Amino acid sequence: MKNAFIAKTLFASLSLLSLLTPQSAHAQIVPQPWVSVGSQEGDITYSVGARALNLGAELGFGPDGSTGVDVLKFISLPVISPYVGLGYYSADKGVAFSGGVQVGASDNVFVGVGYNSVRGVNGQLGVRF
């Protein structure tokens, strides 16, 4: 119980810190969409998302028919972009916490890996315009 409280407090602190991080002047205005496939407790999960101005939104489909939306905050670094997020899911799943990283694979393609407390570990594939 104590470890869960510490983990939640640390996650909340990092989330607030990322929201207060100033955006870079060269932030991407054109949305960068991605698709994601993952697994939670043996169930396959899916999501689609988009990012613009270091903020993102993701529509996810989790286990037991749950559907939800996550709001994400990205920190743009030269090659990688870590993110944290908070969402809400149906089917009595409730609030979801998420985090991960996206990495530029080429000029127009990026890949990522993330974790969502409802949808589990997921891999991402996206495009830049």
Side-chain angles (χ1 to χ4, degrees):
M1 183 70 175
K2 188 175 184 180
N3 288 340
F5 176 74
I6 292 171
K8 287 180 182 180
T9 303
L10 181 62
F11 187 81
S13 299
L14 290 174
S15 298
L16 289 173
L17 179 62
S18 72
L19 288 173
L20 299 175
T21 303
Q23 293 185 15
S24 63
H26 66 281
Q28 179 81 18
I29 295 175
V30 177
Q32 300 175 9
W34 71 84
V35 294
S36 173
V37 177
S39 176
Q40 175 74 349
E41 299 174 2
D43 292 327
I44 302 296
T45 62
Y46 306 94
S47 71
V48 293
R51 166 187 175 185
L53 300 174
N54 292 328
L55 294 174
E58 193 169 34
L59 174 63
F61 306 93
D64 303 324
S66 62
T67 303
V69 174
D70 296 282
V71 176
L72 309 172
K73 171 63 177 157
F74 289 84
I75 300 173
S76 287
L77 299 174
V79 177
I80 65 170
S81 293
Y83 66 89
V84 294
L86 188 63
Y88 187 79
Y89 282 76
S90 65
D92 295 328
K93 298 294 182 187
V95 175
F97 303 97
S98 59
V101 64
Q102 292 180 343
V103 179
S106 71
D107 288 340
N108 296 336
V109 176
F110 62 90
V111 295
V113 63
Y115 175 78
N116 182 290
S117 59
V118 172
R119 293 183 290 110
V121 176
N122 58 75
Q124 304 162 0
L125 179 63
V127 294
R128 289 188 188 115
F129 297 106

